[in-house]
C-alpha cells in the first residue's frame, strides 16, 4: 500500500501523527511545506494526504486544488487550528475528504485516516467499471425481464403500453425502445442492415397539460384557430414523424381526446385544430401509465377500444422495493452522476448507509433515490456518507413514518426534506414483464394502498415528537416542512379514495377545486 503523507509546519504535529500511524502499521512520509509535497508528487502518489491549512510558502487549500487537479481520486484531509466557516467551506468545495479541526484526539485522527484509506482502496476498484454512464441499470430478475423484453422488441414497430408506479423509469424504457428500434439511431435499418433511420423521440405528459391545450399540443393548430393562435403550429404527431411518440400518463387523457387519438392510431390521419386538410404521420406510439386502465375502462372514463389498441404489448416496470438488490448500485451511480453535474468530487457511501437505503421502501421509486443522492452530494458534511448523514426523514421513527409518508413527486418539492419514509409493505408478486402479441393482457399491479388511519391520538403524539426533534436540532422551516407533508398526505389519500377525481377529492376534504389544483402543483403531487 502507498504511504500516508502528512504536511504541517508544526514539527510536533508531524511527530505525533507519524508515530501514531507507524504504530498502526502504516507507511508514513512527512513534509514541512507544500512545495516539497508538489515536488514529491512527480515521483510517487500517496494513499492519503493529510495537510495543515496555513503554512509558510502556501496554504492547504491551494495545495488541495493542485493535488486534486493531478489526482482527482486522492483523499485529502485538511487540518486547521482556525475553525471558521470560510475554511470549512473552502475545504469541502475543493473536494476535501474531511475537515479536521485542531486540537484533535490522536486516536480519532488515526481512525479518520484509516477510513480514508479503506474508502480509497474500495473506490479504486469500483470506479473502474463506472467511467461511462449506462443507459439503464438493474441486476434484479424483474429488471432483467424488462431488458430481455426491450431486446425482443428491438426490431419491432408495434405499439407498447408501459405500466408501473410513478418514478419507476417508464420514460427511460420508452426511450430505450425507440433507440434500439428501426426508428432509432442504434437500431437496424428497415433493410435489416446498418443503422436505423434516426427518427425523433418526442415525449408528452398528457396529465401535465390543461385539457384546453392538450388537443393543440398533440395535433397542432392553424393560424387563427383560436385566440392567441397567431401562427400555424405543428403538433407532437407531426414533430415525431418517422420516429416515436411517447404518451406519458395516458390514463389521464380527457375522454373526448381519446376518440381523436384512436382515429390516429387506426388510420394515421388527423386534423390540426381549426384545419380542414387531413394530415398523415408515420409515428410509433408508446404509452405509459401508473393507473389500472382496466379499472378505468370499467369506470367509463377510458375508452375500451383505445385500451385494446394500446395494449398490444405490455411491459410492467417493477417498483424499486421489488428490486432492493439494485439499490446500492443505483445509489453509487446517482452519486457519481450528481457529482459530475455539479462539478465536484464523487462522495462515497459506506456499506452501512447503503444497507439503510436498501431497507427503505421508496414510495417515489428510482426518482426518489436519485433525489436523495443529489441531496447527499450537496448536503452531506463529509466525502464519506455514513448512516447519520442520510436525510432526517429517512431515519425518522416508524410511528411518524405513517403520517409523514409522501406520495411520489413530493420529494422534489421539498428541498432538503427530499425523502419521506414509507411504512413497511409486502412487495406485490412479480408479474410477467412481457405480454406477447395476441395473448391475454398481463395483470396490472396497482399502487399499494396507503397505510390505514392511526388509532386514537397516537399520531398527534408522534407529530409532537417529530416537531420537538426538528426544533431542538435547529432545523429551518419546520412549520413549512411538516405542513407540506401533512397536506400532501391528506390530498394523496383523498385522490386514492376517489381514484384520481380531483373535484370529488376536494369535496370530501372540504376545500375548493382551485385550492386542490393549486396544492397539487405546489407539492409536486402530479409528477
Amino acid at each position: 500500500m502507498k504511504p500516508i503523507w502528512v504536511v504541517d509546519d508544526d514539527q510536533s504535529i508531524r511527530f505525533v501523527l507519524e508515530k501514531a500511524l507507524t504504530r498502526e502499521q502504516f507507511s508514513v512520509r512527512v513534509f514541512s511545506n507544500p512545495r516539497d509535497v508538489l515536488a514529491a508528487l512527480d515521483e510517487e502518489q500517496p494513499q492519503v494526504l493529510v495537510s495543515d491549512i496555513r503554512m509558510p510558502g502556501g496554504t492547504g487549500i491551494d495545495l488541495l486544488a493542485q493535488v486534486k487537479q493531478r489526482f482527482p481520486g486522492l483523499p485529502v484531509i485538511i487540518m486547521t487550528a482556525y475553525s471558521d466557516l470560510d475554511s470549512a467551506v473552502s475545504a469541502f468545495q475543493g473536494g476535501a475528504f474531511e475537515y479536521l479541526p485542531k486540537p484533535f484526539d490522536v486516536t480519532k485522527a488515526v481512525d479518520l485516516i484509516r477510513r480514508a484509506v479503506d474508502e480509497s482502496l474500495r473506490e479504486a476498484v469500483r470506479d473502474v467499471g463506472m467511467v461511462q454512464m449506462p443507459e439503464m441499470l438493474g441486476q434484479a430478475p424483474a429488471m432483467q425481464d424488462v431488458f430481455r423484453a426491450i431486446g425482443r422488441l428491438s426490431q419491432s414497430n408495434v405499439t407498447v403500453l408501459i405500466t408501473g408506479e410513478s418514478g419507476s423509469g417508464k420514460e427511460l424504457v420508452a426511450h430505450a425502445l425507440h433507440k434500439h428500434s428501426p426508428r432509432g439511431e442504434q437500431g437496424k435499418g428497415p433493410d435489416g442492415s446498418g443503422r436505423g433511420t434516426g427518427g425523433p423521440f418526442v415525449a408528452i405528459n398528457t396529465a401535465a397539460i390543461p385539457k384546453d391545450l392538450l388537443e393543440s399540443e398533440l395535433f397542432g393548430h392553424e393560424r387563427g384557430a383560436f385566440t392567441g393562435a397567431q401562427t400555424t403550429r405543428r403538433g407532437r404527431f407531426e414533430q415525431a414523424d418517422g420516429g416515436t411518440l411517447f404518451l406519458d400518463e395516458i390514463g389521464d387523457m380527457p375522454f373526448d381526446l381519446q376518440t381523436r387519438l384512436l382515429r390516429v392510431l387506426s388510420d394515421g390521419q388527423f386534423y390540426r385544430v381549426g384545419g380542414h386538410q387531413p394530415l398523415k404521420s408515420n409515428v410509433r406510439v408508446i404509452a405509459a401509465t401508473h393507473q389500472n386502465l382496466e379499472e378505468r375502462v370499467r369506470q367509463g372514463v377510458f375508452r375500451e377500444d383505445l385500451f385494446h389498441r394500446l395494449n398490444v404489448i405490455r411491459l410492467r416496470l417493477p417498483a424499486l422495493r421489488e428490486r432492493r438488490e439494485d439499490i446500492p448500485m443505483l445509489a453509487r451511480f446517482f452519486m457519481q452522476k450528481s457529482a459530475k453535474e455539479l462539478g465536484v468530487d464523487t462522495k462515497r457511501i459506506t456499506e452501512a448507509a447503503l444497507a439503510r437505503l436498501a431497507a427503505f421502501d421508496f414510495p417515489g421509486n428510482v426518482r426518489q433515490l436519485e433525489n436523495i443522492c443529489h441531496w447527499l452530494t450537496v448536503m452531506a458534511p463529509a466525502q464519506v456518507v455514513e448512516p447519520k448523514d442520510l436525510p432526517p426523514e429517512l431515519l425518522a421513527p416508524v410511528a411518524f413514518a405513517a403520517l409523514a409518508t409522501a406520495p411520489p413527486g413530493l420529494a422534489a418539492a421539498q428541498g432538503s426534506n427530499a425523502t419521506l419514509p414509507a411504512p413497511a409493505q409486502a412487495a406485490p408478486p412479480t408479474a410477467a414483464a412481457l405480454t406477447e402479441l395476441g395473448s391475454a393482457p398481463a395483470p396490472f399491479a396497482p399502487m399499494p394502498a396507503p397505510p390505514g388511519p392511526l388509532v386514537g391520538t397516537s399520531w398527534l403524539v408522534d407529530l409532537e415528537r417529530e416537531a420537538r426533534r426538528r426544533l431542538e436540532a435547529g432545523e429551518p422551516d419546520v412549520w413549512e416542512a411538516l405542513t407540506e407533508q401533512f397536506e400532501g398526505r391528506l390530498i394523496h389519500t383523498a385522490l386514492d379514495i376517489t381514484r384520481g377525481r380531483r373535484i370529488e377529492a376536494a369535496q370530501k376534504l372540504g376545500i375548493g377545486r382551485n385550492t386542490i389544483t393549486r396544492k397539487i402543483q405546489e407539492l409536486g403531487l402530479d409528477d
Side-chain angles (χ1 to χ4, degrees), residues 16-28:
V16 168
L17 283 178
E18 182 177 15
K19 293 303 180 184
L21 291 168
T22 301
R23 282 196 302 269
E24 297 295 325
Q25 307 301 314
F26 286 112
S27 174
V28 185

Side-chain angles (χ1 to χ4, degrees), residues 228-272:
Q230 299 179 354
T231 60
T232 299
R233 184 180 184 277
R234 297 166 66 234
R236 302 299 174 93
F237 271 95
E238 286 184 78
Q239 295 170 19
D241 188 37
T244 301
L245 177 62
F246 175 54
L247 301 175
D248 199 8
E249 299 301 347
I250 190 69
D252 291 310
M253 176 174 279
F255 195 85
D256 53 346
L257 278 184
Q258 294 175 26
T259 304
R260 291 203 61 184
L261 177 60
L262 180 64
R263 173 72 184 272
V264 180
L265 294 178
S266 301
D267 57 20
Q269 285 194 348
F270 63 94
Y271 292 84
R272 292 181 185 146

Side-chain angles (χ1 to χ4, degrees), residues 401-447:
L403 173 67
T405 301
L410 184 56
Q414 289 183 323
S416 62
N417 296 309
T419 315
L420 297 170
Q425 297 167 341
T430 303
L434 175 67
T435 300
E436 296 295 346
L437 179 62
S439 62
F444 183 93
M447 286 184 65

Side-chain angles (χ1 to χ4, degrees), residues 7 12 34 43 51 57 120 134 155 219 241 267 287 311 354 375 383 387 392 417 421 442 465 469 479 487 505:
V7 52
S12 63
E43 302 175 358
S51 173
S120 67
Q155 293 308 303
F219 306 111
D241 188 37
D267 57 20
N311 193 41
L354 288 172
W375 185 92
Q383 283 298 105
N417 296 309
R465 183 184 301 118
R469 182 189 68 77
W479 174 276
E487 291 179 341

Side-chain angles (χ1 to χ4, degrees), residues 1 4 12-29 104-111 113-114:
M1 189 179 69
I4 310 298
S12 63
I13 295 292
R14 299 198 304 269
F15 177 82
V16 168
L17 283 178
E18 182 177 15
K19 293 303 180 184
L21 291 168
T22 301
R23 282 196 302 269
E24 297 295 325
Q25 307 301 314
F26 286 112
S27 174
V28 185
R29 185 175 177 182
F104 51 78
D105 180 86
V106 176
T107 302
K108 291 183 178 180
V110 172
D111 287 342
I113 294 170
R114 183 184 292 108

Side-chain angles (χ1 to χ4, degrees), residues 306-518:
L306 176 59
F307 168 71
H308 291 301
R309 177 69 67 171
L310 294 172
N311 193 41
V312 180
I313 300 288
R314 187 187 296 206
L315 276 174
R316 177 187 175 272
L317 277 187
L320 188 55
R321 62 182 172 276
E322 296 177 55
R323 53 184 188 112
R324 295 182 189 275
E325 58 266 52
D326 287 341
I327 290 176
M329 174 178 57
L330 288 167
R332 295 190 186 103
F333 168 73
F334 287 136
M335 293 295 289
Q336 187 187 44
K337 179 183 176 184
S338 293
K340 184 176 181 181
E341 291 173 353
L342 296 172
V344 298
D345 287 342
T346 304
K347 291 183 177 178
R348 306 162 184 86
I349 307 182
T350 65
E351 296 300 327
L354 288 172
R356 197 66 178 260
L357 283 173
F360 187 54
D361 276 345
F362 287 101
N365 292 295
V366 179
R367 182 190 296 134
Q368 186 178 13
L369 176 59
E370 184 174 9
N371 288 343
I372 291 174
C373 292
H374 196 74
W375 185 92
L376 289 171
T377 298
V378 175
M379 299 298 296
Q383 283 298 105
V384 178
V385 177
E386 298 182 349
K388 63 181 177 61
D389 301 321
L390 296 174
E393 291 81 359
L394 199 67
L395 308 175
V398 175
F400 183 73
L403 173 67
T405 301
L410 184 56
Q414 289 183 323
S416 62
N417 296 309
T419 315
L420 297 170
Q425 297 167 341
T430 303
L434 175 67
T435 300
E436 296 295 346
L437 179 62
S439 62
F444 183 93
M447 286 184 65
L454 300 177
V455 179
T457 59
S458 63
W459 70 274
L460 292 174
V461 175
D462 294 324
L463 175 59
E464 179 181 353
R465 183 184 301 118
E466 178 64 8
R468 182 179 298 277
R469 182 189 68 77
R470 290 175 181 246
L471 292 168
E472 290 178 349
E475 292 186 22
D477 303 323
V478 174
W479 174 276
E480 181 179 357
L482 292 181
T483 301
E484 285 183 350
Q485 293 176 22
F486 181 77
E487 291 179 341
R489 194 58 186 169
L490 275 178
I491 294 173
H492 176 62
T493 304
L495 289 173
D496 184 79
I497 292 173
T498 62
R499 301 185 181 277
R501 293 187 289 273
R502 296 184 179 183
I503 296 178
E504 185 178 345
Q507 291 173 344
K508 287 182 176 293
L509 290 171
I511 59 177
R513 179 179 60 182
N514 293 336
T515 300
I516 195 171
T517 300
R518 175 172 54 81

